[in-house]
Amino acid sequence: MIESWRWFGPEDPVTLEQIVEAGAKGIVTALDHIPTGEIWPLTDIEERKRKIESYGLTWKVVESVPVHTEIKSGSGHFKHYISNYQQTITNLGENGIECICYNFMPVLDWTRTNLKLDLPNFSQALSFDISEFAAYDIFILERANASESYPQEIQEKAQLKYVNMTEVDKEKLEKNIIAGLPGGEGSHTRESLRKAINLFKNLGENKLREHLYDFLKRIIPVAEKHSINMAIHPDDPPFGLFGLPRVVSTADDAEKIMRKVPSLCNGLTLCAGSFGARSDNDLISMVENFGEKIHFTHLRNIRRKTDGSFTESEHLAGDNDMVGIIKAILEVEEKSGREMPMRPDHGHTMGEERHREDVRPGYSYSGRMKGLAELRGVIHAVKTLSKTSQA
């Protein structure tokens, strides 16, 4: 596997020098200063690439080129934004980019309710609590008919949590949910969130899926021309929020997408944490079944609860069989003769970084360096055992 690292550009508190020190070889980055829907200029792409390569690193994976809301909703100027997306693919292809990770989640990108959950070992983790989310949805956002989206037990827990919240607690919860997390597509106010939900509320899963298929049919030929793999990221969390549809939450969802537009360039980002937040997703089987259609992987782990809540765990300590997943990926690599870019994801916030305001939630240096070291150890052990068994 190609050991990679998510870098948020020149404003990232984690420097390229530190990434080299961590032992990563590839950079995963995006031009976040370009507004969603606008064309990524060749000059900006070239400048970012020169900066990365000046440290002896490579840039082969973009995460992400955001998909404009009007493409997802099939409204307004969606054809114009698809045309811009096609040109961005072309510009990236001319600079040697091999993979574009993207998502098709409506309204919110990845979502958590707590960005600094204190753990017994003194580090801090990201977490998603369904009853806290319901408390926000029902009692703070006051979305119409929101209670219908949750079973009675969750409604009761949500009400209890809301009653015991201070105003500071409510503000913090709202900020965590709608203010925009690293790598996401921007932030919302309470009013803009209500407006965005209304845009999608009557769309439904089938229509959202149709819009995704239409988008892919238009961009995949461009990706093929420039030898770029499009790798869709799963929904995070992999179930509906605010009553909105989700179309990339299960193995069946992924299969439908790849079957509808049958091109090797139309593939998947295997995010172990996102897919793994559902107990009915068998990640090892997904690696085996999708094989060379997996173009990029996020190796992170979670601890699930039966109600849909989860906490992001250490990379080797969660409910996902990380050793089995890595073994399956290495077998796919051996069969296909290619190396897959991977990166550690959402490391815990540790040490002095816990007290710094500039550390991005989930993207601490020390937490990801620890995760990368653990994953590197598993990869080395699996490869060594494989060689020994073949001898």
Side-chain angles (χ1 to χ4, degrees), residues 243-264:
L244 296 168
R246 296 288 222 191
V247 294
V248 200
S249 293
T250 66
D252 183 61
D253 290 336
E255 176 64 33
K256 288 177 180 176
I257 292 165
M258 286 178 257
R259 189 171 60 243
K260 191 69 175 183
V261 184
S263 167
L264 184 60

PDB file of all heavy atoms in Angstrom, residues 243-264:
ATOM      1  N   GLY A 243     -33.874  13.302   8.108  1.00  0.00           N
ATOM      2  CA  GLY A 243     -34.870  12.768   7.192  1.00  0.00           C
ATOM      3  C   GLY A 243     -34.442  12.787   5.742  1.00  0.00           C
ATOM      4  O   GLY A 243     -35.267  12.581   4.841  1.00  0.00           O
ATOM      5  N   LEU A 244     -33.143  13.008   5.487  1.00  0.00           N
ATOM      6  CA  LEU A 244     -32.636  13.122   4.119  1.00  0.00           C
ATOM      7  C   LEU A 244     -32.208  11.763   3.569  1.00  0.00           C
ATOM      8  O   LEU A 244     -31.812  10.870   4.315  1.00  0.00           O
ATOM      9  CB  LEU A 244     -31.439  14.077   4.099  1.00  0.00           C
ATOM     10  CG  LEU A 244     -31.761  15.530   4.474  1.00  0.00           C
ATOM     11  CD1 LEU A 244     -30.477  16.308   4.699  1.00  0.00           C
ATOM     12  CD2 LEU A 244     -32.600  16.183   3.390  1.00  0.00           C
ATOM     13  N   PRO A 245     -32.271  11.604   2.250  1.00  0.00           N
ATOM     14  CA  PRO A 245     -31.873  10.329   1.642  1.00  0.00           C
ATOM     15  C   PRO A 245     -30.367  10.121   1.673  1.00  0.00           C
ATOM     16  O   PRO A 245     -29.596  11.078   1.701  1.00  0.00           O
ATOM     17  CB  PRO A 245     -32.378  10.459   0.201  1.00  0.00           C
ATOM     18  CG  PRO A 245     -32.386  11.936  -0.062  1.00  0.00           C
ATOM     19  CD  PRO A 245     -32.752  12.572   1.256  1.00  0.00           C
ATOM     20  N   ARG A 246     -29.966   8.848   1.673  1.00  0.00           N
ATOM     21  CA  ARG A 246     -28.561   8.440   1.574  1.00  0.00           C
ATOM     22  C   ARG A 246     -28.472   7.377   0.498  1.00  0.00           C
ATOM     23  O   ARG A 246     -29.346   6.509   0.410  1.00  0.00           O
ATOM     24  CB  ARG A 246     -28.067   7.861   2.903  1.00  0.00           C
ATOM     25  CG  ARG A 246     -28.052   8.829   4.083  1.00  0.00           C
ATOM     26  CD  ARG A 246     -26.967   9.866   3.964  1.00  0.00           C
ATOM     27  NE  ARG A 246     -26.289  10.110   5.227  1.00  0.00           N
ATOM     28  CZ  ARG A 246     -25.442  11.117   5.436  1.00  0.00           C
ATOM     29  NH1 ARG A 246     -25.183  11.952   4.466  1.00  0.00           N
ATOM     30  NH2 ARG A 246     -24.839  11.266   6.601  1.00  0.00           N
ATOM     31  N   VAL A 247     -27.401   7.403  -0.309  1.00  0.00           N
ATOM     32  CA  VAL A 247     -27.315   6.445  -1.416  1.00  0.00           C
ATOM     33  C   VAL A 247     -25.971   5.721  -1.496  1.00  0.00           C
ATOM     34  O   VAL A 247     -25.737   4.965  -2.432  1.00  0.00           O
ATOM     35  CB  VAL A 247     -27.618   7.132  -2.764  1.00  0.00           C
ATOM     36  CG1 VAL A 247     -29.065   7.589  -2.824  1.00  0.00           C
ATOM     37  CG2 VAL A 247     -26.671   8.294  -3.039  1.00  0.00           C
ATOM     38  N   VAL A 248     -25.088   5.929  -0.505  1.00  0.00           N
ATOM     39  CA  VAL A 248     -23.793   5.230  -0.508  1.00  0.00           C
ATOM     40  C   VAL A 248     -23.493   4.742   0.909  1.00  0.00           C
ATOM     41  O   VAL A 248     -22.462   5.066   1.491  1.00  0.00           O
ATOM     42  CB  VAL A 248     -22.639   6.122  -1.014  1.00  0.00           C
ATOM     43  CG1 VAL A 248     -21.450   5.238  -1.466  1.00  0.00           C
ATOM     44  CG2 VAL A 248     -23.061   7.025  -2.155  1.00  0.00           C
ATOM     45  N   SER A 249     -24.410   3.955   1.460  1.00  0.00           N
ATOM     46  CA  SER A 249     -24.279   3.524   2.853  1.00  0.00           C
ATOM     47  C   SER A 249     -23.981   2.037   3.016  1.00  0.00           C
ATOM     48  O   SER A 249     -23.517   1.619   4.070  1.00  0.00           O
ATOM     49  CB  SER A 249     -25.556   3.864   3.633  1.00  0.00           C
ATOM     50  OG  SER A 249     -25.720   5.255   3.755  1.00  0.00           O
ATOM     51  N   THR A 250     -24.276   1.234   2.001  1.00  0.00           N
ATOM     52  CA  THR A 250     -24.148  -0.217   2.115  1.00  0.00           C
ATOM     53  C   THR A 250     -23.400  -0.794   0.912  1.00  0.00           C
ATOM     54  O   THR A 250     -23.202  -0.112  -0.105  1.00  0.00           O
ATOM     55  CB  THR A 250     -25.533  -0.884   2.188  1.00  0.00           C
ATOM     56  OG1 THR A 250     -26.207  -0.679   0.933  1.00  0.00           O
ATOM     57  CG2 THR A 250     -26.368  -0.308   3.324  1.00  0.00           C
ATOM     58  N   ALA A 251     -23.040  -2.058   1.030  1.00  0.00           N
ATOM     59  CA  ALA A 251     -22.402  -2.753  -0.095  1.00  0.00           C
ATOM     60  C   ALA A 251     -23.342  -2.786  -1.295  1.00  0.00           C
ATOM     61  O   ALA A 251     -22.909  -2.663  -2.447  1.00  0.00           O
ATOM     62  CB  ALA A 251     -22.015  -4.169   0.323  1.00  0.00           C
ATOM     63  N   ASP A 252     -24.631  -2.938  -1.035  1.00  0.00           N
ATOM     64  CA  ASP A 252     -25.608  -2.962  -2.126  1.00  0.00           C
ATOM     65  C   ASP A 252     -25.662  -1.609  -2.837  1.00  0.00           C
ATOM     66  O   ASP A 252     -25.757  -1.559  -4.079  1.00  0.00           O
ATOM     67  CB  ASP A 252     -26.991  -3.312  -1.566  1.00  0.00           C
ATOM     68  CG  ASP A 252     -28.042  -3.416  -2.657  1.00  0.00           C
ATOM     69  OD1 ASP A 252     -27.880  -4.269  -3.550  1.00  0.00           O
ATOM     70  OD2 ASP A 252     -29.022  -2.649  -2.617  1.00  0.00           O
ATOM     71  N   ASP A 253     -25.574  -0.518  -2.078  1.00  0.00           N
ATOM     72  CA  ASP A 253     -25.526   0.811  -2.693  1.00  0.00           C
ATOM     73  C   ASP A 253     -24.327   0.928  -3.631  1.00  0.00           C
ATOM     74  O   ASP A 253     -24.439   1.418  -4.762  1.00  0.00           O
ATOM     75  CB  ASP A 253     -25.411   1.897  -1.622  1.00  0.00           C
ATOM     76  CG  ASP A 253     -26.681   2.072  -0.805  1.00  0.00           C
ATOM     77  OD1 ASP A 253     -27.764   1.725  -1.308  1.00  0.00           O
ATOM     78  OD2 ASP A 253     -26.575   2.568   0.334  1.00  0.00           O
ATOM     79  N   ALA A 254     -23.164   0.505  -3.146  1.00  0.00           N
ATOM     80  CA  ALA A 254     -21.942   0.594  -3.948  1.00  0.00           C
ATOM     81  C   ALA A 254     -22.041  -0.262  -5.199  1.00  0.00           C
ATOM     82  O   ALA A 254     -21.619   0.149  -6.294  1.00  0.00           O
ATOM     83  CB  ALA A 254     -20.739   0.181  -3.102  1.00  0.00           C
ATOM     84  N   GLU A 255     -22.607  -1.445  -5.060  1.00  0.00           N
ATOM     85  CA  GLU A 255     -22.769  -2.346  -6.200  1.00  0.00           C
ATOM     86  C   GLU A 255     -23.648  -1.710  -7.270  1.00  0.00           C
ATOM     87  O   GLU A 255     -23.355  -1.797  -8.470  1.00  0.00           O
ATOM     88  CB  GLU A 255     -23.377  -3.671  -5.727  1.00  0.00           C
ATOM     89  CG  GLU A 255     -23.688  -4.663  -6.834  1.00  0.00           C
ATOM     90  CD  GLU A 255     -22.450  -5.148  -7.566  1.00  0.00           C
ATOM     91  OE1 GLU A 255     -21.385  -5.258  -6.931  1.00  0.00           O
ATOM     92  OE2 GLU A 255     -22.552  -5.392  -8.786  1.00  0.00           O
ATOM     93  N   LYS A 256     -24.740  -1.075  -6.870  1.00  0.00           N
ATOM     94  CA  LYS A 256     -25.644  -0.411  -7.809  1.00  0.00           C
ATOM     95  C   LYS A 256     -24.917   0.688  -8.585  1.00  0.00           C
ATOM     96  O   LYS A 256     -25.104   0.842  -9.802  1.00  0.00           O
ATOM     97  CB  LYS A 256     -26.838   0.183  -7.068  1.00  0.00           C
ATOM     98  CG  LYS A 256     -27.836  -0.839  -6.552  1.00  0.00           C
ATOM     99  CD  LYS A 256     -28.943  -0.148  -5.765  1.00  0.00           C
ATOM    100  CE  LYS A 256     -29.962  -1.161  -5.240  1.00  0.00           C
ATOM    101  NZ  LYS A 256     -30.997  -0.510  -4.390  1.00  0.00           N
ATOM    102  N   ILE A 257     -24.109   1.459  -7.900  1.00  0.00           N
ATOM    103  CA  ILE A 257     -23.379   2.564  -8.538  1.00  0.00           C
ATOM    104  C   ILE A 257     -22.411   2.039  -9.589  1.00  0.00           C
ATOM    105  O   ILE A 257     -22.347   2.555 -10.719  1.00  0.00           O
ATOM    106  CB  ILE A 257     -22.624   3.387  -7.474  1.00  0.00           C
ATOM    107  CG1 ILE A 257     -23.620   4.119  -6.576  1.00  0.00           C
ATOM    108  CG2 ILE A 257     -21.662   4.383  -8.119  1.00  0.00           C
ATOM    109  CD1 ILE A 257     -23.013   4.649  -5.288  1.00  0.00           C
ATOM    110  N   MET A 258     -21.676   0.997  -9.256  1.00  0.00           N
ATOM    111  CA  MET A 258     -20.672   0.475 -10.186  1.00  0.00           C
ATOM    112  C   MET A 258     -21.306  -0.302 -11.329  1.00  0.00           C
ATOM    113  O   MET A 258     -20.769  -0.350 -12.439  1.00  0.00           O
ATOM    114  CB  MET A 258     -19.654  -0.360  -9.415  1.00  0.00           C
ATOM    115  CG  MET A 258     -18.701   0.510  -8.606  1.00  0.00           C
ATOM    116  SD  MET A 258     -17.522  -0.406  -7.622  1.00  0.00           S
ATOM    117  CE  MET A 258     -18.244  -0.238  -6.016  1.00  0.00           C
ATOM    118  N   ARG A 259     -22.459  -0.902 -11.057  1.00  0.00           N
ATOM    119  CA  ARG A 259     -23.155  -1.639 -12.114  1.00  0.00           C
ATOM    120  C   ARG A 259     -23.828  -0.674 -13.093  1.00  0.00           C
ATOM    121  O   ARG A 259     -23.897  -0.945 -14.295  1.00  0.00           O
ATOM    122  CB  ARG A 259     -24.192  -2.576 -11.492  1.00  0.00           C
ATOM    123  CG  ARG A 259     -24.827  -3.543 -12.499  1.00  0.00           C
ATOM    124  CD  ARG A 259     -25.675  -4.605 -11.815  1.00  0.00           C
ATOM    125  NE  ARG A 259     -26.773  -4.045 -11.033  1.00  0.00           N
ATOM    126  CZ  ARG A 259     -26.903  -4.171  -9.728  1.00  0.00           C
ATOM    127  NH1 ARG A 259     -25.999  -4.833  -9.013  1.00  0.00           N
ATOM    128  NH2 ARG A 259     -27.942  -3.640  -9.101  1.00  0.00           N
ATOM    129  N   LYS A 260     -24.318   0.455 -12.595  1.00  0.00           N
ATOM    130  CA  LYS A 260     -25.024   1.414 -13.446  1.00  0.00           C
ATOM    131  C   LYS A 260     -24.086   2.067 -14.456  1.00  0.00           C
ATOM    132  O   LYS A 260     -24.477   2.328 -15.603  1.00  0.00           O
ATOM    133  CB  LYS A 260     -25.687   2.487 -12.575  1.00  0.00           C
ATOM    134  CG  LYS A 260     -26.662   3.375 -13.320  1.00  0.00           C
ATOM    135  CD  LYS A 260     -27.890   2.608 -13.735  1.00  0.00           C
ATOM    136  CE  LYS A 260     -28.935   3.498 -14.383  1.00  0.00           C
ATOM    137  NZ  LYS A 260     -30.167   2.767 -14.733  1.00  0.00           N
ATOM    138  N   VAL A 261     -22.858   2.355 -14.017  1.00  0.00           N
ATOM    139  CA  VAL A 261     -21.856   2.961 -14.913  1.00  0.00           C
ATOM    140  C   VAL A 261     -20.636   2.048 -14.878  1.00  0.00           C
ATOM    141  O   VAL A 261     -19.702   2.255 -14.095  1.00  0.00           O
ATOM    142  CB  VAL A 261     -21.504   4.395 -14.468  1.00  0.00           C
ATOM    143  CG1 VAL A 261     -20.549   5.037 -15.472  1.00  0.00           C
ATOM    144  CG2 VAL A 261     -22.765   5.248 -14.332  1.00  0.00           C
ATOM    145  N   PRO A 262     -20.635   1.001 -15.718  1.00  0.00           N
ATOM    146  CA  PRO A 262     -19.613  -0.045 -15.632  1.00  0.00           C
ATOM    147  C   PRO A 262     -18.274   0.348 -16.261  1.00  0.00           C
ATOM    148  O   PRO A 262     -17.965   0.019 -17.402  1.00  0.00           O
ATOM    149  CB  PRO A 262     -20.259  -1.207 -16.395  1.00  0.00           C
ATOM    150  CG  PRO A 262     -21.165  -0.554 -17.379  1.00  0.00           C
ATOM    151  CD  PRO A 262     -21.670   0.698 -16.721  1.00  0.00           C
ATOM    152  N   SER A 263     -17.494   1.068 -15.499  1.00  0.00           N
ATOM    153  CA  SER A 263     -16.157   1.471 -15.924  1.00  0.00           C
ATOM    154  C   SER A 263     -15.204   1.232 -14.776  1.00  0.00           C
ATOM    155  O   SER A 263     -15.564   1.435 -13.604  1.00  0.00           O
ATOM    156  CB  SER A 263     -16.146   2.955 -16.297  1.00  0.00           C
ATOM    157  OG  SER A 263     -14.822   3.444 -16.415  1.00  0.00           O
ATOM    158  N   LEU A 264     -13.998   0.823 -15.067  1.00  0.00           N
ATOM    159  CA  LEU A 264     -13.000   0.652 -14.011  1.00  0.00           C
ATOM    160  C   LEU A 264     -12.748   1.967 -13.293  1.00  0.00           C
ATOM    161  O   LEU A 264     -12.400   1.991 -12.110  1.00  0.00           O
ATOM    162  CB  LEU A 264     -11.690   0.111 -14.600  1.00  0.00           C
ATOM    163  CG  LEU A 264     -10.573  -0.205 -13.605  1.00  0.00           C
ATOM    164  CD1 LEU A 264     -11.022  -1.262 -12.595  1.00  0.00           C
ATOM    165  CD2 LEU A 264      -9.310  -0.660 -14.329  1.00  0.00           C
TER     166      LEU A 264
END
